[in-house]
């Protein structure tokens, strides 16, 4: 309004001046004066207002420049966001293409093709560590303008620089890694970058010519821009290359896991086939063994017992010394063979877990007396002193497997007689007290006392050939002989005794100080306490225990040799049977 009033007043003043060139009236002079005074007042007011308006105008100009800079910065940020979105889109596209397969060669070839199309590359290549780990070998290229298989030393400074950086590294076009295609013509050397590709679990990469071990866990990817343009690498492109390298590493690890699982599956299938064949072989072997045991049980034991019985009868007749020696040799060999057959059958049942104990009431003192009666003739021939001590607290009757217990005692005492040339043999039977178990038992055996049971402790000492301490564990191994060379037989007796003792809840062990220093065999078995020996049910169970189960019955006063079908062969006096044994 001030500027408008000033312009109007100035124009009015100049217009009124037209009447001042001639004679004018007093009214014109007054109007002229008023107009000039008003114009001066408006001019002063306008000048005073400009003092305040000019700083405002300057601040407005400054604000305008600030806003313009802000707008340019926002434009740049928007461009960066758009670039990042484009980069993310390319990364997702490349990731989808890379992970669409789990074949490693397809993954690498797809990566090179997609990077070349996305970034407009002239060439793209991948250098893999060699099998020795000393070189980098050219494995994949985009255009195959150089022969695949070229090598570069892995200890070059430029290679170490790429390995030591997780970012894309600019490398000169003249370095060995960039010599993928020859530079022809007038073109300026292009921009080249290299980025490392982590090789996860490189030791699993056992396929074709891929390495199985390498000192470096990285491959190198080289990317070359076109040579006919002045284009430079931009930041978002380098970020794209770095992200793709990481995605390739992940895809390769997945492919390695798949190949490993496929290889493991193939191995499992082969193992299953082998196991099936082994199972069939084992079944055939079991059938063959069962057939063999059936032949031994039905076809060998019956004639063997007949031979033993008939030889025993022949020894009671009038014979010449030569005939007696021959018959005794036949009888001795038959007894050994019958013992071996029984041991093999017992061992077979033990191995198949088919042998069950027959529990019943039996005369515990009578078992030891029968053992002495059976062994004493042999000891008398060898002029050995035999003593047996039965503890006062040893019960007369017990509940358990009489046959297996007697077989164990007879085997242990028989071994003592067999390997003692001169001296003595002592048998000590007692009840193992709970407070003394820790002193009698070996450290690997932990007896558990229960109500209604007791532990029978049997100790057999001899002054025989003894055993080396290192040979003691071998004695309980089937079909094995100690290195001392003082053993004979098949090596089954003690092995079977150990299995019998274990079935009866006990333990057996041997102690010896060395060769020619004697030997002590001790075993513990768990037996039931017989509170009422006159009980008819117990006697019935005891009679069932005495039934024949695959070998000669040694519990009666007049033993009867039976075959597997419980058919009596002969009934001889006790002395005759002892002599045959």
């Amino acid at each position: 309004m001030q500027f408008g009033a000033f312009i109007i007043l100035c124009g009015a003043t100049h217009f009124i001046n037209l009447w001042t060139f001639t004679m004018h009236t007093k009214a014109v002079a007054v109007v002229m004066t008023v107009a000039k005074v008003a114009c001066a007042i408006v001019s002063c007011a306008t000048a005073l207002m400009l003092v305040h308006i000019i700083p405002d105008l300057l601040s407005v100009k400054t604000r305008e420049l600030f806003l313009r800079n802000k707008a340019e910065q926002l434009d740049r940020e928007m461009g960066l966001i758009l670039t990042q979105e484009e980069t993310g889109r390319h990364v997702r596209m490349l990731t989808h293409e890379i992970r669409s397969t789990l074949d490693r060669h397809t993954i690498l070839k797809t990566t090179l093709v997609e990077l070349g199309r996305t970034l407009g590359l002239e060439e793209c290549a991948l250098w893999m560590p060699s099998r020795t780990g000393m070189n980098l070998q050219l494995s994949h290229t985009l255009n195959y303008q150089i022969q695949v298989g070229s090598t570069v030393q892995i200890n070059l400074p430029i290679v170490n620089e790429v390995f030591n950086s997780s970012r894309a590294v600019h490398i000169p076009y003249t370095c060995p890694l960039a010599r993928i295609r020859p530079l022809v013509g007038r073109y300026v050397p292009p921009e080249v970058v290299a980025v490392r590709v982590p090789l996860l679990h490189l030791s699993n990469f056992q396929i074709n010519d891929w390495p199985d071990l390498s000192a470096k866990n990285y491959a190198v990817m080289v990317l070359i821009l076109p040579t006919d343009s002045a284009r430079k690498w931009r930041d978002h492109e380098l970020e794209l290359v770095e992200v793709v390298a990481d995605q390739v590493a992940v895809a390769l690890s997945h492919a390695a896991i798949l190949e490993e699982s496929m290889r493991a599956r193939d191995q499992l299938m082969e193992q299953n086939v082998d196991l099936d064949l082994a199972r069939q072989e084992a079944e055939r072997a079991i059938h063959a063994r069962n057939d063999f045991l059936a032949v031994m049980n039905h076809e060998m034991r019956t004639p063997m017992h007949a031979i033993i019985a008939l030889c025993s009868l022949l020894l009671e007749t009038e014979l010449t010394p030569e005939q007696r020696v021959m018959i005794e040799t036949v009888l001795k060999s038959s007894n050994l063979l019958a013992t071996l057959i029984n041991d093999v059958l017992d061992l077979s049942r033990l191995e198949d877990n088919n042998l069950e104990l027959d529990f019943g009431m039996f005369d515990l003192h009578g078992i030891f007396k029968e053992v002495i009666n059976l062994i004493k003739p042999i000891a008398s021939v060898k002029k050995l002193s035999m003593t047996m001590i039965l503890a006062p607290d040893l019960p007369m009757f017990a509940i358990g497997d009489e046959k297996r217990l007697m077989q164990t005692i007879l085997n242990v005492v028989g071994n003592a007689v067999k390997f003692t040339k001169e001296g003595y043999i002592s048998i000590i039977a007692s009840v193992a007290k709970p407070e003394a178990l820790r002193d009698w038992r070996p450290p690997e055996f932990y007896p558990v006392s229960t109500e209604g049971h007791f532990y029978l402790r049997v100790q057999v000492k001899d002054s025989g050939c003894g055993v080396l301490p290192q040979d003691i564990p071998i004695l309980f191994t089937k079909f094995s002989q100690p290195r001392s060379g003082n053993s004979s037989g098949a090596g089954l007796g003690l092995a079977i005794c150990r299995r019998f003792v274990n079935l009866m809840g006990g333990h057996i062990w041997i102690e010896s100080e060395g060769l020619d220093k004697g030997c002590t065999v001790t075993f513990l078995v768990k037996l039931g306490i017989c509170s009422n020996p006159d009980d008819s049910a117990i006697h019935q169970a005891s009679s069932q225990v005495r039934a024949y189960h695959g070998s000669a019955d040694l519990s009666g006063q007049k033993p009867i040799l039976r075959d597997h079908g419980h058919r009596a062969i002969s009934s001889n006096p006790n002395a005759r049977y002892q002599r045959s044994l």
Side-chain angles (χ1 to χ4, degrees):
M1 293 175 64
Q2 288 178 357
F3 278 107
F6 175 72
I7 294 171
I8 292 173
L9 290 174
C10 287
T13 303
H14 292 297
F15 183 74
I16 294 171
N17 283 335
L18 295 177
W19 281 272
T20 60
F21 291 107
T22 60
M23 293 300 292
H24 53 278
T25 63
K26 184 178 179 180
V28 173
V30 172
V31 172
M32 184 66 172
T33 302
V34 172
K36 289 183 177 181
V37 172
C39 183
I41 293 172
V42 172
S43 298
C44 292
T46 301
L48 293 175
M49 291 296 295
L50 288 177
V51 175
H52 300 284
I53 291 175
I54 290 174
D56 292 338
L57 292 176
L58 293 177
S59 64
V60 170
K61 186 65 175 178
T62 304
R63 183 66 177 174
E64 181 184 356
L65 294 175
F66 175 75
L67 292 176
R68 183 178 299 171
N69 292 334
K70 278 291 186 180
E72 293 177 356
Q73 185 178 357
L74 289 174
D75 291 340
R76 287 195 299 269
E77 292 180 356
M78 181 59 77
L80 181 60
I81 292 174
L82 294 176
T83 302
Q84 291 177 350
E85 290 181 355
E86 182 181 1
T87 302
R89 187 167 58 254
H90 288 308
V91 169
R92 289 192 297 271
M93 178 188 67
L94 286 173
T95 303
H96 176 73
E97 293 294 334
I98 291 172
R99 295 189 177 182
S100 61
T101 180
L102 287 176
D103 179 71
R104 282 180 287 183
H105 292 283
T106 305
I107 290 171
L108 295 178
K109 185 60 180 177
T110 302
T111 301
L112 300 185
V113 172
E114 294 298 329
L115 277 177
R117 183 170 57 189
T118 302
L119 301 177
L121 301 177
E122 179 75 19
E123 184 60 272
C124 185
L126 186 72
W127 296 85
M128 294 290 296
S130 63
R131 187 175 296 274
T132 60
M134 301 301 296
N135 300 319
L136 288 176
Q137 185 176 1
L138 186 63
S139 62
H140 293 79
T141 59
L142 180 61
N143 298 319
Y144 292 101
Q145 296 189 6
I146 191 171
Q147 183 178 2
V148 174
S150 302
T151 58
V152 172
Q153 293 292 327
I154 203 169
N155 56 359
L156 294 178
I158 189 66
V159 176
N160 293 328
E161 181 182 357
V162 175
F163 282 168
N164 295 330
S165 176
S166 60
R167 309 296 298 273
V169 178
H170 289 270
I171 61 175
Y173 186 76
T174 55
C175 75
L177 291 177
R179 294 176 184 172
I180 303 173
R181 64 184 299 273
L183 185 63
V184 181
R186 63 185 186 283
Y187 301 120
V188 179
E191 288 283 327
V192 182
V193 296
V195 63
R196 70 184 187 186
V197 179
L199 296 179
L200 306 180
H201 303 291
L202 188 59
S203 60
N204 292 332
F205 290 1
Q206 299 175 356
I207 177 173
N208 297 335
D209 57 347
W210 285 46
D212 56 356
L213 183 62
S214 174
K216 299 294 183 181
N217 292 328
Y218 301 105
V220 178
M221 185 184 299
V222 179
L223 303 96
I224 304 175
L225 290 177
T227 57
D228 56 352
S229 66
R231 183 178 149 203
K232 303 292 183 182
W233 283 100
R234 290 175 288 182
D235 292 338
H236 75 278
E237 293 177 340
L238 296 179
E239 292 178 0
L240 172 63
V241 171
E242 295 165 1
V243 172
V244 169
D246 293 336
Q247 293 296 324
V248 169
V250 174
L252 290 178
S253 66
H254 291 174
I257 293 173
L258 177 64
E259 291 181 2
E260 196 66 32
S261 62
M262 296 290 289
R263 189 179 298 111
R265 186 197 65 178
D266 295 340
Q267 292 178 355
L268 287 176
M269 293 179 63
E270 294 177 358
Q271 291 176 0
N272 289 336
V273 173
D274 296 338
L275 288 176
D276 187 62
L277 294 176
R279 180 183 59 80
Q280 296 176 4
E281 291 290 337
E283 290 178 353
R284 285 194 290 267
I286 290 174
H287 291 316
R289 187 193 65 178
N290 293 337
D291 295 340
F292 171 73
L293 293 178
V295 170
M296 290 184 64
N297 192 35
H298 297 285
E299 304 297 335
M300 297 179 65
R301 288 170 55 126
T302 300
M304 190 58 59
H305 290 163
I307 292 173
I308 294 173
L310 292 176
C311 289
S312 299
L313 293 174
L314 284 176
L315 288 176
E316 300 296 331
T317 62
E318 295 293 333
L319 298 173
T320 63
E322 292 81 4
Q323 291 174 338
R324 185 170 296 276
V325 169
M326 288 186 293
I327 293 177
E328 287 179 350
T329 303
V330 172
L331 184 61
K332 180 180 178 181
S333 302
S334 301
N335 281 322
L336 291 176
L337 185 56
T339 302
L340 178 60
I341 293 173
N342 293 334
D343 289 345
V344 170
L345 292 175
D346 289 339
L347 182 64
S348 176
R349 295 195 201 98
L350 288 171
E351 293 294 338
D352 292 340
N353 296 322
N354 292 330
L355 183 64
E356 297 181 357
L357 299 179
D358 294 328
F359 291 97
M361 189 274 295
F362 62 91
D363 185 354
L364 186 57
H365 288 216
I367 286 181
F368 288 98
K369 293 177 182 179
E370 284 193 45
V371 169
I372 289 295
N373 292 334
L374 292 172
I375 296 297
K376 197 170 183 179
I378 304 176
S380 300
V381 173
K382 302 182 70 173
K383 298 180 180 181
L384 300 176
S385 173
M386 289 195 65
T387 60
M388 182 178 67
I389 300 175
L390 301 180
D393 60 347
L394 187 68
M396 287 293 298
F397 295 92
I399 298 176
D401 192 331
E402 176 189 13
K403 178 175 177 291
R404 304 305 176 189
L405 178 59
M406 185 172 181
Q407 185 175 351
T408 302
I409 299 173
L410 191 61
N411 200 315
V412 173
V413 178
N415 281 341
V417 175
K418 180 179 180 180
F419 297 112
T420 302
K421 295 182 179 179
E422 59 183 7
Y424 69 93
I425 295 171
S426 66
I427 305 172
I428 303 174
S430 61
V431 176
K433 303 298 182 182
E435 59 274 8
L437 281 176
R438 64 172 61 93
D439 299 328
W440 287 344
R441 66 172 175 82
E444 66 271 11
F445 176 60
Y446 298 93
V448 180
S449 298
T450 57
E451 185 178 358
H453 294 82
F454 70 96
Y455 277 94
L456 171 66
R457 176 178 180 264
V458 180
Q459 188 179 63
V460 180
K461 293 183 179 180
D462 63 71
S463 60
C465 59
V467 183
L468 292 174
Q470 60 268 27
D471 288 341
I472 291 177
I474 304 177
L475 297 177
F476 294 105
T477 304
K478 56 186 178 181
F479 304 115
S480 62
Q481 301 291 344
R483 287 165 288 186
S484 59
N486 293 323
S487 177
S488 62
L492 288 175
L494 288 178
I496 294 176
C497 288
R498 185 174 190 176
R499 298 294 294 272
F500 284 161
V501 170
N502 291 338
L503 284 175
M504 290 185 280
H507 192 73
I508 184 171
W509 66 95
I510 299 177
E511 298 173 343
S512 179
E513 296 181 357
L515 297 178
D516 299 327
K517 294 184 179 181
C519 184
T520 302
V521 180
T522 308
F523 67 87
L524 298 172
V525 292
K526 189 176 182 180
L527 300 176
I529 299 175
C530 183
S531 59
N532 187 11
D534 297 330
D535 192 350
S536 60
I538 296 179
H539 279 286
Q540 183 179 1
S542 177
S543 62
Q544 292 177 358
V545 171
R546 287 186 172 88
Y548 179 76
H549 286 282
S551 64
D553 188 352
L554 305 177
S555 61
Q557 292 297 324
K558 295 182 179 180
I560 299 176
L561 296 179
R562 302 175 182 270
D563 62 3
H564 191 66
H566 300 272
R567 178 177 52 85
I569 296 178
S570 63
S571 178
N572 302 317
N574 192 25
R576 180 181 302 169
Y577 186 79
Q578 291 175 2
R579 186 173 184 180
S580 69
L581 181 65

